[in-house]
Amino acid sequence: MKLAPLSYQRPANLLEASLMLGSEPVPAVLAGGQSLLPALRLGDRSENSLVDISKLAELRGITQDVEFLTIGAGVPMWDISDSPEVATTAPLLIRVLGSVGAVGIRSRATLGGSLAWADSTSQLPSTLIVLNALVDTTKRTLDAADLQIGQHRTVLSPNELIVRIRIPKNALSGSGFHLVRRTHITWPVVGAVATRESSGLLRLVVFGAAPTPILLVGTDRAKLLKDLSTRLLPFDDERATAGYRRQVAPILASRALDEAVGSGT
């Protein structure tokens, strides 16, 4: 299907982008466009204008200081995967990025775009949640866990943009990641990602088993899995049934926790 007629604007900076988004009646933010453009073609989205932020320098760059690894919201996933700073500070993120689509998708798709798209089956928002990341927008700072409020729904206002993601340099002694999907390049059906801090604290996030990622934190593996069973709100879609998700989510969560406890990365 062809795209319906759209107006197109390319701002020179973040301020101009915010003004454009505030003035357009039904705007869509174009970053990598790997999810947005197919949705527009299929009629799943109805925006009539595009504001292209893909070239904004303010959304680029990977830096670090004593406390945080900072990744610009517009940095392509491919560049993140190739970053020595990310490899040292957040190797789990690089591992998860390797599971996202095909190379061509990762060459354009961005972390900021994935967060704003807010798909409940996406592995990336859940990974940032398990890493206790902060999300800086043009208006405020949010915990990654507080950003998504439903399928394709976030707390962001229409003219609010994600600027950067900050991952704290926590001393992680282990991590785990497991998912199921139909093919190696399709969207996940359901999955889980977990970390273990040096203090013994476990963080578990399950995705694809509720309208938003499910975060559980504690030191008792058995209790985390028990609590998970009460938080599952599985759903039917074209990829799987709610019954399948309910059955598989605890298995993947258990595997992710076991890997986090037993791994050294």
Side-chain angles (χ1 to χ4, degrees), residues 7-31 36 45 47-54 56 59 116 137-139 154 156-163:
S7 67
Y8 174 86
Q9 299 184 82
R10 175 175 283 179
N13 52 54
L14 277 175
L15 177 58
E16 191 172 300
S18 296
L19 293 173
M20 288 178 180
L21 289 170
S23 64
E24 289 291 337
V26 188
V29 178
L30 178 65
L36 174 64
R45 296 285 290 261
E47 289 90 342
N48 57 21
S49 64
L50 293 178
V51 177
D52 186 350
I53 62 170
S54 62
L56 295 185
L59 304 181
T137 77
T138 49
K139 296 185 176 183
T154 72
L156 299 175
S157 60
N159 64 340
E160 184 176 9
L161 293 168
I162 297 173
V163 179

Side-chain angles (χ1 to χ4, degrees), residues 177-196:
F177 169 57
H178 288 271
L179 59 73
V180 292
R181 54 186 170 181
R182 291 191 172 185
T183 75
H184 71 286
I185 61 171
T186 53
W187 282 89
V189 171
V190 62
V193 60
T195 59
R196 177 169 60 93

Side-chain angles (χ1 to χ4, degrees), residues 144-157:
D146 296 331
L147 182 66
Q148 186 175 346
I149 56 175
Q151 175 69 341
H152 299 310
R153 295 174 56 224
T154 72
V155 298
L156 299 175
S157 60

